[in-house]
Amino acid sequence: MLPAGEIGKVRAASCCPESGDEMKNTEEKSDMNIAALVGREQLMQDRDDDQLPLNVSAFIEKEVGNDLKSLKKLGKLIEQMTENKMKLEEQVLTISSEIPKRIQSALKDAEESQQVLNQFLEQETSLFSSITSHLLTAQPWMDDLGAMINQIEEIEQHLTYLKWVSQIEELSDNIQQYLMTNNVPEAASILVTMTELDIKLQESSCTHLLSFMRATVKFWHKILKDKLTSDFEEILAQLHWPFITHTQSQTVGISRSASAPEVYATLETLFCQLLKLQASYLCWSGKVTKTTSYSVFVIMLTPLQKRFKYHFRGNRQTNVISKPEWYLAQVLMWIGNHAHFLDEKIQPILEKADSAVNARLEFSRGLMMLILEKLASDIPCLLYDDNLFCHLVDEVLLFERELHSVHGYPSTFASCMHILSEETCFQRWLTVERKFALQKMDSMLSSEAAWVSQYKDITDVDEMKVPNCAEVFMTLLLVITDRYKNLPTAPRKLQFLELQKDLVDDFRIRLTQVMKEETRASLDFRYCAILNAVNYISTVLADWADNVFFLQLQQAALEVFAENNVLSKLQLGQLASMESSVFDDMINLLERLKLDMLTRQVDHVFREVKDAAKLYKKERWLSLPSQSEQAVMSLSSSACPLLLTLRDRLLQLEQQLCFSLFRIFWQMLVEKLDVYIYQEIILANHFNEGGAAQLQFDMTRNLFPLFSHYCKRPENYFKHVKEACIVLNLNTGSALLLKDVLQSASEHLPATAALNEVGIYKLAQQDVEILLNLRTNWPNTGK
């Protein structure tokens, strides 16, 4: 063996096999460095020799200068310089004698190191061959030892396997002993332990052991479940379960017999054991899902399931396919009868067991499964009988409404809406809804009271003056919304929304057809009722567009359209930003129809007004007496037919149209009337002072007040007429001055300020000049 230090050196040598060459290189590099150093010193000495005179001159200049008396210092300076020279020479001699010694010592150390390195290399070669020989000798022993270790590991695995088998048999024997002594709770606890062991073995590759464990767990689980189920059913029987009548459930709830506490304690124990047993079994089997029913509730529901199947399956008189309300009402009654018991007795047990299950909802879900099975079997039998199918849907929707609103059944649980959403059933439902809706529309439009408002005698309620057919139609749409809004998926809701939009469009077409029949009498009651109906439907749809339910449908439609690339990016952006709604297409069509009908009415009234204004157009405006010549100004007799016609039509339509429609009507009419009077009466005539005053009196004191009931300042709607009267009735001086201003105005200097000063804002400068030229009461200037 080598000393530790030498082993380190051997390792260093073995790691650096080329150390001898490196030592030679080191020596060569040292010689080169010394030569370079000597050369550098020689070069520096040459430079110093060249600069020596300069340095001496500078030194003497500094020490002596121009003062001759300072020459006395030269002796001391020479002595100091001589002394310094001797010291420097001594240092140079010392250094010159030490450098060769150091080099010699370094070379000697290198040679010694090389010798030691060679010794280490020889030892390493010898040691390597010795180790190799030893490994070859020990290899048979290693093979034998490895085989023995493998045998030991295999035996250990067998022992572990046997221990598991023994542990399983021991737990199984314990369960059997507890069952023989009727200690079911302890047996159930041991089964839970066995289940936990089985879960630990899930990753084992011992398939036979896993099969044995699983078979044992299943065996005892069935025995314990049957035993606990039997005991639990006996306790339920003592409580007179199930509660068929409401009185019976109240009696059990207020029971105070001597044995009641013991019965409820046993109920709690058995309930907890069944709950624990199922929880461990579900965790072990990996069958836990959202719809997993708890076995304890299955036991409680079993007698009700038997009753349900007895009454509503087979040939019983209670099993009538046309009476779905019988079994739906029965289930609702059972839920109501057991709600108090479940809340007061069962729910506290679940809370003690740290279970998140709601007893009443779990019970309701179990009964719902009966309904779903019944519907699945009945629907195919009545799918093509419209009346029976429609009746079934109506009853199911009523059942769903009460189940959710009264009993708090969650929408996330399985419900009848899932059955109705299945493709075949759903398409049939859509077809039936469309069919009965169209039949309802036909009957309401053909009714004698179709165009009469049912609130016509109640002023406060009848603001919209909605005809009966429109109100019934919107009620129909609202009912359809209530029927489908609880569907579980958005695509199904969107299909119903399309049905509603189709119905709206169909109703609009029918209204258009009826309107065309009444076009010749556009002011009659029926035509106005159609217009009110169109306006009402459009208004209600606009309100619905802001409803949360339809906003959610809009978002769902946006996602569907985006996936299918149905709409442009602009349309998708409008939907996403809520600038448009799901009813926009229908509202636009209705608004277009409304505007078209209003335009017809306005044109009709306007034609009558023009006919009545023929005499007024021919009035002799040039020869009328001035205001000073009349005691009292009075309405022109030729204007009476015009004003009477206008008044009668306004009163008629005010009574027949709703407020919003009538406001649009009279504003459209006033716009046409303003232009007509301005162009056909004022611009077509010349006016003396009396004629201008009479025109102003007719307009401001008679025509404008007809509309004062509908707005505060009606003259603002007759801007052309009002400003024309101002121009025609300006006093002569002001008119002359305005005329001069207008004549001197140009594009760069308009007369806007002057026009505004006299109250002219609407008329253009050229129009005012024309009106001034229509005046005949100009003074004679002699020109």
Side-chain angles (χ1 to χ4, degrees), residues 422-436:
E422 293 179 359
E423 184 63 24
T424 305
C425 182
F426 183 77
Q427 294 302 326
R428 187 60 185 163
W429 184 11
L430 277 177
T431 303
V432 172
E433 287 285 352
R434 184 187 301 275
K435 174 184 176 181
F436 282 100

Side-chain angles (χ1 to χ4, degrees), residues 400-568:
E400 284 279 329
R401 183 179 303 171
E402 183 173 350
L403 188 65
H404 290 287
S405 61
V406 177
H407 300 290
Y409 192 78
S411 58
T412 54
F413 281 15
S415 67
C416 301
M417 302 306 288
H418 291 82
I419 295 291
L420 295 180
S421 297
E422 293 179 359
E423 184 63 24
T424 305
C425 182
F426 183 77
Q427 294 302 326
R428 187 60 185 163
W429 184 11
L430 277 177
T431 303
V432 172
E433 287 285 352
R434 184 187 301 275
K435 174 184 176 181
F436 282 100
L438 293 175
Q439 289 178 358
K440 185 71 174 176
M441 288 163 56
D442 290 337
S443 64
M444 72 175 82
L445 287 173
S446 61
S447 170
E448 294 181 358
W451 308 108
V452 179
S453 172
Q454 57 180 327
Y455 308 111
K456 63 180 180 179
D457 298 327
I458 309 175
T459 307
D460 295 338
V461 179
D462 198 35
E463 291 181 358
M464 296 288 288
K465 294 182 171 60
V466 186
N468 190 48
C469 64
E471 187 161 3
V472 172
F473 175 71
M474 294 311 294
T475 303
L476 174 65
L477 290 184
L478 186 62
V479 169
I480 292 176
T481 303
D482 289 337
R483 289 161 72 85
Y484 79 82
K485 69 180 180 180
N486 290 322
L487 283 170
T489 61
R492 294 304 192 196
K493 295 177 184 178
L494 289 174
Q495 287 182 270
F496 258 103
L497 178 63
E498 289 301 317
L499 169 62
Q500 287 180 302
K501 291 165 69 175
D502 290 345
L503 293 175
V504 171
D505 195 48
D506 190 274
F507 194 71
R508 178 189 62 82
I509 293 172
R510 292 171 189 242
L511 290 178
T512 304
Q513 292 172 346
V514 179
M515 179 270 292
K516 289 181 178 179
E517 297 175 0
E518 302 292 329
T519 302
R520 294 183 179 180
S522 59
L523 302 182
D524 286 356
F525 170 78
R526 191 170 182 179
Y527 190 93
C528 292
I530 297 170
L531 183 53
N532 286 329
V534 172
N535 179 68
Y536 174 71
I537 296 171
S538 177
T539 303
V540 172
L541 289 179
D543 291 340
W544 284 3
D546 296 328
N547 183 278
V548 175
F549 173 72
F550 289 108
L551 289 175
Q552 292 172 343
L553 283 188
Q554 181 174 341
Q555 181 62 32
L558 177 64
E559 295 173 1
V560 172
F561 294 151
E563 290 177 1
N564 300 331
N565 294 323
V566 177
L567 300 180
S568 65

Side-chain angles (χ1 to χ4, degrees), residues 210-334:
L210 281 172
S211 300
F212 175 64
M213 171 69 88
R214 185 152 298 187
T216 305
V217 171
K218 286 183 178 180
F219 173 77
W220 288 117
H221 179 270
K222 184 178 185 308
I223 292 176
L224 281 173
K225 182 182 176 183
D226 293 344
K227 176 63 177 173
L228 288 172
T229 300
S230 176
D231 295 344
F232 191 68
E233 288 175 346
E234 290 180 7
I235 291 295
L236 290 177
Q238 294 180 31
L239 294 172
H240 306 289
W241 180 275
F243 311 140
I244 304 304
T245 63
H246 185 63
T247 306
Q248 184 182 1
S249 65
Q250 289 181 332
T251 304
V252 173
I254 62 175
S255 176
R256 292 292 183 270
S257 63
S259 60
E262 182 181 349
V263 172
Y264 286 123
T266 307
L267 174 71
E268 180 176 351
T269 302
L270 293 172
F271 193 97
C272 289
Q273 291 301 323
L274 282 167
L275 201 62
K276 187 186 297 184
L277 188 67
Q278 183 182 17
S280 63
Y281 182 77
L282 290 177
C283 184
W284 165 74
S285 61
K287 297 180 180 179
V288 182
T289 64
K290 290 184 178 180
T291 58
T292 301
S293 297
Y294 285 81
S295 59
V296 64
F297 288 102
V298 173
I299 298 169
M300 298 173 73
L301 286 166
T302 299
L304 293 175
Q305 291 174 343
K306 291 179 179 178
R307 285 178 173 273
F308 188 90
K309 292 178 181 179
Y310 176 83
H311 288 291
F312 304 113
R313 292 290 179 90
N315 298 323
R316 299 292 174 185
Q317 293 182 351
T318 50
N319 184 26
V320 181
I321 198 170
S322 61
K323 298 292 182 180
E325 60 269 26
W326 287 358
Y327 60 83
L328 294 172
Q330 182 66 72
V331 168
L332 287 175
M333 186 177 70
W334 284 344

Side-chain angles (χ1 to χ4, degrees), residues 8 30 43 51 105 156 187 221 305 313 406 415 424 432 435 458 570 577-578 589 634 673 721 740 742 757 781:
S30 299
L43 180 62
Q51 293 183 358
S105 177
E156 287 180 347
H221 179 270
Q305 291 174 343
R313 292 290 179 90
V406 177
S415 67
T424 305
V432 172
K435 174 184 176 181
I458 309 175
L570 175 62
S577 61
M578 302 300 175
L589 291 173
S634 61
L673 195 59
V721 174
D740 291 340
L742 294 177
E757 187 176 350
T781 60

Side-chain angles (χ1 to χ4, degrees), residues 646-673:
L646 194 58
R647 182 202 64 182
D648 292 343
R649 290 310 186 191
L650 287 173
L651 289 175
Q652 176 187 353
L653 292 173
E654 183 182 14
Q655 293 175 354
Q656 294 180 353
L657 294 178
C658 71
F659 175 77
S660 60
L661 285 175
F662 180 69
R663 183 176 65 246
I664 299 172
F665 166 79
W666 72 257
Q667 290 177 357
M668 292 173 63
L669 179 61
V670 163
E671 185 179 356
K672 295 174 71 71
L673 195 59

Side-chain angles (χ1 to χ4, degrees), residues 13 44 46 86-87 99 153 189 202 229 280 292 295 315 357 422 477 527 565 575 601 612 644 671 700 727 783:
M44 292 177 66
D46 294 341
M86 293 174 65
K87 290 180 180 179
I99 287 176
E153 290 178 350
S189 299
Q202 293 296 324
T229 300
S280 63
T292 301
S295 59
N315 298 323
V357 177
E422 293 179 359
L477 290 184
Y527 190 93
N565 294 323
L575 277 175
Q601 287 187 322
L644 286 173
E671 185 179 356
T700 59
V727 174
K783 294 183 181 180

Side-chain angles (χ1 to χ4, degrees), residues 32-228:
M32 292 172 65
N33 290 336
I34 292 170
L37 183 60
V38 172
R40 193 178 304 155
E41 290 178 354
Q42 184 66 37
L43 180 62
M44 292 177 66
Q45 185 176 359
D46 294 341
R47 290 179 181 175
D48 291 342
D49 291 342
D50 294 337
Q51 293 183 358
L52 182 60
L54 296 175
N55 292 336
V56 171
S57 176
F59 178 75
I60 292 173
E61 184 70 24
K62 178 180 177 183
E63 296 294 333
V64 177
N66 297 324
D67 189 4
L68 295 176
K69 293 180 180 181
S70 299
L71 293 173
K72 296 178 181 180
K73 299 178 182 180
L74 289 175
K76 291 181 179 181
L77 288 173
I78 292 171
E79 291 177 0
Q80 290 178 1
M81 297 303 294
T82 303
E83 185 179 354
N84 291 337
K85 178 183 177 184
M86 293 174 65
K87 290 180 180 179
L88 291 173
E89 287 177 349
E90 289 177 1
Q91 292 177 2
V92 169
L93 290 173
T94 302
I95 294 172
S96 300
S97 62
E98 287 180 356
I99 287 176
K101 292 179 181 179
R102 291 181 182 179
I103 293 173
Q104 189 67 28
S105 177
L107 291 173
K108 184 178 180 181
D109 291 341
E111 290 175 356
E112 291 177 356
S113 298
Q114 186 173 6
Q115 292 175 2
V116 172
L117 180 60
N118 292 333
Q119 291 176 4
F120 285 160
L121 290 173
E122 293 175 359
Q123 292 175 4
E124 186 267 340
T125 303
S126 174
L127 184 62
F128 179 77
S129 60
S130 175
I131 292 171
T132 304
S133 174
H134 179 71
L135 289 175
L136 291 174
T137 305
Q139 186 60 44
W141 300 348
M142 293 295 295
D143 294 340
D144 295 341
L145 184 61
M148 292 176 67
I149 291 172
N150 291 335
Q151 291 177 3
I152 292 171
E153 290 178 350
E154 185 177 355
I155 292 171
E156 287 180 347
Q157 290 177 356
H158 292 166
L159 286 174
T160 305
Y161 190 95
L162 292 174
K163 285 180 181 179
W164 276 102
V165 173
S166 176
Q167 190 174 5
I168 295 169
E169 290 179 345
E170 183 181 355
L171 292 173
S172 182
D173 292 340
N174 291 338
I175 293 174
Q176 184 175 8
Q177 290 176 5
Y178 282 124
L179 287 178
M180 291 175 64
T181 57
N182 205 27
N183 192 346
V184 179
E186 287 297 330
S189 299
I190 293 177
L191 181 60
V192 171
T193 304
M194 188 183 293
T195 305
E196 293 172 354
L197 291 177
D198 181 78
I199 294 173
K200 292 180 181 179
L201 280 174
Q202 293 296 324
E203 298 180 359
S204 173
S205 58
C206 302
T207 55
H208 295 291
L209 180 63
L210 281 172
S211 300
F212 175 64
M213 171 69 88
R214 185 152 298 187
T216 305
V217 171
K218 286 183 178 180
F219 173 77
W220 288 117
H221 179 270
K222 184 178 185 308
I223 292 176
L224 281 173
K225 182 182 176 183
D226 293 344
K227 176 63 177 173
L228 288 172

